[in-house]
């Protein structure tokens, strides 16, 4: 492997891990806070302050940037894997094309392919609902919707309500997402250690 590719792969893995660690921290905040954005049973002043604090630590505020970090981390890990295998990467956010390359490289029975594919193909219900509401069909469109409030082509405004106010359903989704990104990281580390 060429030293430049090795160095580039490592830089992708480092940045991917930073996005993943941020996502993990935020998912744990969402889980441990109880994903509540209300102050039921408190005095009016306490309720208002409690609601503000809860909203700041719930899916009302944190989930959209959190899920973006998950997807960004995974995309960077995939691109790092390609570089690790001396495959030049293209400037794209269409991860389905990159996943095909991972499948070709590692095979459909490999742990890396299975974990990455599971993350993208078997999304949690609130993500599926968000995609349906906004007529999102590709990963690139999903990334755009998580980064911008409107579609770049036709300026259609995205609707985010499906990603908010999910209470306990949200908590279960956050736990599932956390398990999936941890499994991807473990598979990546295993492959990285084989190469070095």
């Amino acid at each position: 492997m060429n030293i430049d590719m090795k160095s580039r792969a490592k830089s992708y893995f480092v940045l991917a891990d930073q996005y993943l660690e941020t996502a993990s921290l935020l998912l744990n905040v969402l889980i441990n806070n109880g994903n509540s954005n209300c102050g039921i049973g408190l005095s009016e002043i306490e309720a208002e302050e409690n609601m503000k604090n809860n909203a700041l630590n719930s899916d009302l505020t944190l989930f959209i940037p959190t899920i973006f970090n998950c997807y960004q981390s995974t995309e960077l890990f995939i691109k790092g894997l390609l570089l690790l295998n001396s495959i030049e990467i293209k400037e794209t956010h269409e991860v389905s094309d990159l996943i095909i390359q991972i499948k070709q490289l590692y095979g459909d029975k490999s742990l890396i392919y299975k974990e990455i594919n599971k993350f993208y193909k078997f999304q949690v219900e609130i993500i599926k609902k968000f995609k349906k509401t906004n007529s999102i069909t590709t990963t690139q469109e999903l990334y755009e919707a998580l980064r911008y409030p409107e579609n770049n082509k036709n300026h259609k405004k995205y609707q985010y309500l499906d990603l908010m106010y999910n209470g306990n359903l949200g908590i279960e989704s956050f736990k599932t997402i956390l398990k999936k990104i941890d499994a991807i990281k473990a598979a990546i580390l295993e492959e990285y250690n084989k190469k070095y």
Side-chain angles (χ1 to χ4, degrees):
M1 171 189 304
N2 140 350
I3 298 217
D4 182 50
M5 290 287 237
K6 180 179 175 180
S7 170
R8 287 177 63 206
K10 186 175 181 179
S11 67
Y12 272 76
F13 289 141
V14 167
L15 190 56
D17 193 50
Q18 290 170 344
Y19 274 104
L20 186 134
E21 287 304 316
T22 301
S24 283
L25 286 169
L26 291 171
L27 286 166
N28 279 305
V29 166
L30 287 164
I31 293 164
N32 295 330
N33 186 55
N35 196 35
S36 172
N37 31 51
C38 65
I40 297 170
L42 303 171
S43 72
E44 191 175 319
I45 294 170
E46 289 173 322
E48 187 176 320
E49 187 60 32
N50 196 33
M51 282 175 60
K52 183 179 173 185
N53 287 332
N54 285 342
L56 289 173
N57 293 306
S58 74
D59 58 8
L60 178 64
T61 306
L62 295 180
F63 186 60
I64 295 168
T66 301
I67 195 64
F68 173 78
N69 283 343
C70 293
Y71 284 114
Q72 183 65 16
S73 171
T74 306
E75 178 185 337
L76 290 168
F77 274 132
I78 293 168
K79 289 179 175 178
L81 281 172
L82 295 174
L83 289 168
L84 192 64
N85 287 280
S86 299
I87 297 171
E88 191 55 60
I89 54 175
K90 296 176 183 161
E91 287 186 30
T92 181
H93 294 295
E94 195 47 68
V95 177
S96 56
D97 296 339
L98 299 172
I99 293 173
I100 290 169
Q101 287 181 284
I102 294 297
K103 182 179 179 181
Q104 291 167 343
L105 257 170
Y106 294 98
D108 61 355
K109 305 266 189 264
S110 69
L111 185 61
I112 284 179
Y113 171 74
K114 285 180 183 177
E115 295 302 341
I116 290 170
N117 194 45
K118 257 196 289 190
F119 180 73
Y120 282 92
K121 193 170 183 180
F122 303 106
Q123 295 168 337
V124 294
E125 199 56 43
I126 56 180
I127 299 288
K128 287 180 191 174
K129 202 170 161 188
F130 173 71
K131 287 172 65 176
K132 185 176 181 182
T133 297
N134 290 285
S135 303
I136 294 170
T137 58
T138 68
T139 309
Q140 191 162 348
E141 289 174 296
L142 180 59
Y143 279 12
E144 181 180 279
L146 296 171
R147 287 194 321 252
Y148 305 107
E150 62 183 14
N151 180 288
N152 284 335
K153 292 177 186 151
N154 61 16
H155 303 290
K156 178 187 107 183
K157 294 196 180 307
Y158 292 113
Q159 303 300 314
Y160 294 99
L161 200 55
D162 295 327
L163 302 178
M164 301 173 182
Y165 304 104
N166 282 296
N168 288 332
L169 172 63
I171 290 173
E172 292 311 309
S173 298
F174 309 147
K175 288 177 182 177
T176 299
I177 293 167
L178 191 55
K179 285 179 189 171
K180 286 182 177 188
I181 62 173
D182 285 344
I184 289 171
K185 182 177 178 176
I188 299 290
L189 281 173
E190 185 178 309
E191 181 59 26
Y192 184 80
N193 290 332
K194 283 182 197 173
K195 294 274 185 183
Y196 293 106

